[in-house]
Amino acid sequence: MLRLNNVTMKFGGVVAVNEFNATIDDGSIVGLIGPNGAGKTTVFNMVTGVYKPTSGDITYVKGGKELKVAEKRPDQIAKAGICRTFQNIRLFKELTVLENVFIGNHLRIKSDVISASLRLPNYVKEEKAFIDKSEYLLKKVGLYEERNELAYSLPYGKQRRLEIARALATDPELLLLDEPAAGMNPQETIELMGFISDIRKEFNLTIFLIEHHMDVVMGICDKIFVLDHGVLIAEGNAQEIQNNPRVIEAYLGVD
């Protein structure tokens, strides 16, 4: 579904990511790990169009057609089926839980500004469909009862779920999760693992995630890539990564 070929990102004289190669298969859960500053979020920013790679190419395959990500704007990439959450939660905190998810549907709206302003029948019908869809997603992520509460009032773990529900409202095929377990307690982390596996099946998703909680990565990922100072040092399944000397050195150092 996604191919990164010799992708490099430079900021002035600093090489944040250096000739990174990765393939993400349709329907898989893939992890991207590495010490702080390894370049993980930079990879996500390139995949979603926030940054244009200095060199290399990123190809998204959908319906047998290839999309060159570096040639598209972030909104075009999202509309093609790639959506993300963020390391630091970015909800519309003064809006309700339902309104946050409703906004995610805007990417798929067909009505024009005039129809919306005058609330013409075609817009009203579309709005009703989006509300129904948003409520359905909130039920799936366990937030339906809180739908009329303001987003900032939710506990941290539920805010994470809300951000994922908003991403799901865009109808993604490839969902990028940037440290979804950050700030969660052990019980919330266990619940998150089951939740990610469930939404993968429920919504037929491919999931690409960055995570520092190794229990999450090793427990749910089919494949794992390891970055260190912008360089890919290992890839493989959980057991292969756990036993890789270069990964152990990157995380623990050497005597």
Side-chain angles (χ1 to χ4, degrees):
M1 175 170 282
L2 188 73
R3 298 194 304 269
L4 296 94
N5 182 38
N6 292 325
V7 176
T8 296
M9 187 70 225
K10 296 180 180 179
F11 299 99
V14 177
V15 182
V17 177
N18 190 23
E19 297 187 352
F20 178 61
N21 290 282
T23 300
I24 297 175
D25 295 329
D26 188 15
S28 62
I29 300 179
V30 176
L32 180 61
I33 66 172
N36 288 331
K40 302 181 298 296
T41 297
T42 299
V43 171
F44 268 30
N45 285 337
M46 288 189 288
V47 171
T48 54
V50 177
Y51 298 152
K52 302 297 183 186
T54 306
S55 62
D57 61 81
I58 302 171
T59 304
Y60 173 57
V61 183
K62 180 178 180 180
K65 296 181 179 180
E66 294 187 349
L67 176 75
K68 296 298 182 181
V69 169
E71 300 173 0
K72 302 296 181 180
R73 302 188 308 265
D75 61 297
Q76 293 172 323
I77 294 169
K79 197 165 188 177
I82 301 176
C83 196
R84 70 176 294 181
T85 64
F86 295 87
Q87 181 179 349
N88 298 315
I89 296 174
R90 298 185 185 180
L91 295 172
F92 300 101
K93 294 188 177 182
E94 299 298 328
L95 298 181
T96 67
V97 169
L98 179 61
E99 288 168 338
N100 266 272
V101 181
F102 181 83
I103 286 172
N105 292 284
H106 187 268
L107 191 66
R108 305 296 175 187
I109 197 167
K110 297 178 181 177
S111 303
D112 57 26
V113 173
I114 294 175
S115 298
S117 300
L118 299 178
R119 298 193 62 77
L120 297 179
N122 62 319
Y123 173 76
V124 172
K125 182 179 179 180
E126 195 168 35
E127 181 185 51
K128 174 65 166 57
F130 286 159
I131 290 173
D132 291 345
K133 176 184 170 185
S134 299
E135 290 181 339
Y136 168 79
L137 289 172
L138 288 174
K139 289 176 182 177
K140 288 296 179 181
V141 302
L143 293 175
Y144 182 74
E145 297 301 322
E146 292 91 344
R147 64 191 181 280
N148 294 319
E149 296 182 17
L150 295 179
Y152 77 83
S153 69
L154 294 181
Y156 191 86
K158 290 188 175 183
Q159 288 190 29
R160 284 283 179 194
R161 287 184 177 236
L162 176 56
E163 193 176 37
I164 293 173
R166 185 179 61 187
L168 292 174
T170 70
D171 295 332
E173 293 186 10
L174 174 61
L175 179 61
L176 279 65
L177 304 176
D178 195 345
E179 296 195 32
M184 290 188 176
N185 61 43
Q187 182 57 39
E188 289 173 331
T189 301
I190 292 172
E191 293 173 357
L192 177 73
M193 292 169 63
F195 173 68
I196 292 173
S197 296
D198 289 344
I199 63 171
R200 187 258 295 262
K201 296 175 183 176
E202 177 74 24
F203 298 98
N204 194 28
L205 295 171
T206 302
I207 296 176
F208 190 20
L209 65 88
I210 294 171
E211 188 51 68
H212 284 293
H213 283 66
M214 289 300 102
D215 287 346
V216 174
V217 176
M218 301 302 169
I220 65 173
C221 289
D222 303 304
K223 189 176 185 180
I224 303 164
F225 294 93
V226 187
L227 277 177
D228 186 28
H229 294 93
V231 177
L232 179 67
I233 62 171
E235 64 177 279
N237 59 35
Q239 185 175 3
E240 290 168 338
I241 294 301
Q242 287 173 329
N243 295 322
N244 188 295
R246 293 191 67 187
V247 176
I248 295 170
E249 178 180 344
Y251 273 94
L252 302 179
V254 292
D255 193 318

